[in-house]
Amino acid sequence: MKSSPAVSIDHALVIDGPVNNIQEAPAIGNGDLGALVQVFQDEFRLHLAKNDIWDARFDHVAKDGVVTQDDLIRMSKEYGFRLEGGAYSGKPVFDRQPPKGLRYVDRNSGNDKHVFPCPKPAGRIRILHAGTNSTKIRTVLDIRNGVVTSEFEMEFGWHGTGLLRVEAFVDRDTNTVRVRLGQERMLGSVRICIEKMPDSIDATIPAPRVRLENESCGTVTQRIPTGYGAKAFEWHLAGAFPEPGKNRGARPIVAHPYRLWQSCELQPGTRIELSVGVATDRDGAGLRRKKNSLVRARRLAMDGRKQGYDQARAAQTRSWSRFWDRSGIELADKALEKTWYRNLFALACQIRPGAMAPGLVGNVVPWDASPWHGCFTVNMNTQKMFLSSAPTNHPEWIDGYADWLDHMKPGFRHLAKITFGLKGIHSPHMIFPYQRPERQASSNQCGRAMGMTGWHGQPLWWRWEYFRDRTFLRDRAYPYFKEAASFYWRYLKKYLDASGDLYPSLNLEGPPWTKDFVHNRDPFIDLILFRNTFQYAIEASKVLHTDAAWRKRWEWGLSKIRPVRVDRLEKGGYWIYADKNDIPNNPDNWRGPRQMHAGQSVAAAWTVFPGETVAGDETEGLAPALRRIMQDNQWKKWHPDVIWIHHWWCAIPALRMQLPGAFDMARSIILRERFPAGHARTTHWIHLTPDAWRVPEDNYLGVAATTEMLLQSQDGIIRLFPCWPKRQRAAFRGLPARGGFIVSAEWNPKRGIKAEIRSLAGEPCRIRWEAKRLPRVVCASRRQSVLREGREVVFQTQAGNRYAIKS
């Protein structure tokens, strides 16, 4: 492959025909403001949403709903408390009636009778025209610059045909939507509309307000009233429409309830433009010190008009080019290559530093109500949006994630205090972004999974591992790990008893509180995340030469966490456990006292990724047993209709373990999770039904899993093309590796591996190298000394230098 891997027009999404189902609508956006693109025979429509548009009202006081950890233990010990039922719907049962002051409540477990926060759509832009059922439609989304173009070819009998072209994009650098309409053959009138309809589920939200500024400018404003400790909140759509005096056929805009209309008589060869600015009361901190959000929305729209569409489009191309310059791939397998680029584009439309991090539905909110209230769920969902950040050379995304964590810390500290009586941070499972600390979500089931606090830190640590940015470690990552590890240390000092068990805690979606907490001791996830959190805090404190006293406490805490073990059962197979007494007598009874929630294969996968207890490709220790578990328990059961959890959960672990058939399985999963046009399915595991819901997070798999086929670096060892078919060519550019390296490489079946590695931190470079002959490593025309250490080759580097490697 002679050319450098890069995004191209071949990666564009092309849709012939209408896009009627909003679930299938492709998304465009700048990471804060987003739009779903729907196309009908007579209309082009953009559904707008923004990451910070939330109804933050919450009829909940955390302290009133919390059963303290002390009371929970007391209820179990003295009154035989447990929950009977499902993981989230269990009912409290007691052997002996406790006193009136001691009771179990859980107001935050799917109880929709109370006012809950929820993201809201921002509004819509609509272009209506004279199309009919015979109208031919072709839509192209060019991911090189985020521009979507729809062409409508219409037949008018003896009048001939008309062709309307609508082009639109969300400005990557400002919260402005730009639209251009052009006509090549006689078409007739077009109607342009900006609207926000009244809320369909909450009558307490006032109807939107429409205001005319002049004959070509106006605003649509939505307001959510104050309540339950939340301030009133507004957002605005400001439209700069075609000016009647300068555009032949453009009429003055008209204000209708909830919308602004403009009719335009298009002439062949003419083009008209629309600029829509969107601003909220929660826009970036720097903007709060300037003019109010209504003024800012107007300014965005007017600045867009003054700039002109062509100039804005050129700036848009340059901005996206800087994004794509960070990394790229080129594969013989074009289906995988296109999916990698398209899914990375979709993630870039959702994530933006300086803006609120995306929740479950991100900035593609299609309705006034969202399942699970569109919250941030942190047992996988929120983190999945960021799993591709470091491996694809986009650390700025994790900077935005760190901002979100800082924003949530006051609520986490409050929960640690009222639930455990401890200093530090404790996270619930479901999080809402704009609540005061005393109204933060609290749950006595989901909110009591102790490992969630540690899970938050994974993206921060990966950012350090990949890029070795000491400033980020000092200012962003270490403060979080210090507070999390200190909370875990205090927890162990207070609650660890002679049994040595971590309890009571939960594996999410597993057994609820059981009698004597028999199923709630040493949860698998807690064992990994307590250990990881202590280890990260210890390592960071050493790198930064700080907090030696706390380091000793964390080392003590680390010594108290049982290791994850694997043992062979008498009747065959393996069992993953924390303590040897956990092994069941009946090997068919997978619900042992401390069992991971979805079976042994998933437990095995989680130790590899994202738990990273093992690197995955070791030949000794836990890895061989974990590899066997996945093969024995699940590998023979792969089927297109296999349950949803194994689709995404096991793909990356299978690649890291280099299981037989891992490439084919992962490829099958990635390509199966696409719509016919080739963009990622965003309906999670739910089929396309009227009440299905969109989640952008699963775009990560086509990016992260494909990247794992090309480059892995867990445990500080670079693996070039570890799971790529040896007979297929492949190349990549600008992909980071742990230890502070940026790697570009090419695999050719005839010529082998050629790579260039740029050192960011001057660390020794370790590469898995199975060939007997050592590679040739050259820096600035000078050959470097290369040593073999076991299965790796090692050479020294200097920060900033580039090293060429040939097999």
Side-chain angles (χ1 to χ4, degrees), residues 489-550:
W489 174 80
R490 293 185 179 104
Y491 183 84
L492 295 178
K493 293 291 287 186
K494 182 175 181 179
Y495 291 108
L496 196 65
D497 60 18
S499 70
D501 294 343
L502 280 177
Y503 83 98
S505 184
L506 296 167
N507 275 317
L508 288 175
E509 302 181 43
W513 298 125
T514 52
K515 189 171 182 179
D516 299 324
F517 300 123
V518 67
H519 290 282
N520 313 118
R521 295 171 179 265
D522 283 339
F524 187 83
I525 290 176
D526 287 10
L527 292 176
I528 292 177
L529 291 173
F530 268 68
R531 178 179 296 107
N532 285 359
T533 302
F534 282 134
Q535 288 176 337
Y536 298 160
I538 291 167
E539 183 175 338
S541 70
K542 291 179 179 178
V543 171
L544 299 172
H545 305 291
T546 188
D547 293 321
W550 266 115

Side-chain angles (χ1 to χ4, degrees), residues 233 324 490 533 572 634 767:
F233 168 69
W324 292 117
R490 293 185 179 104
T533 302
Q634 288 297 329
I767 303 177

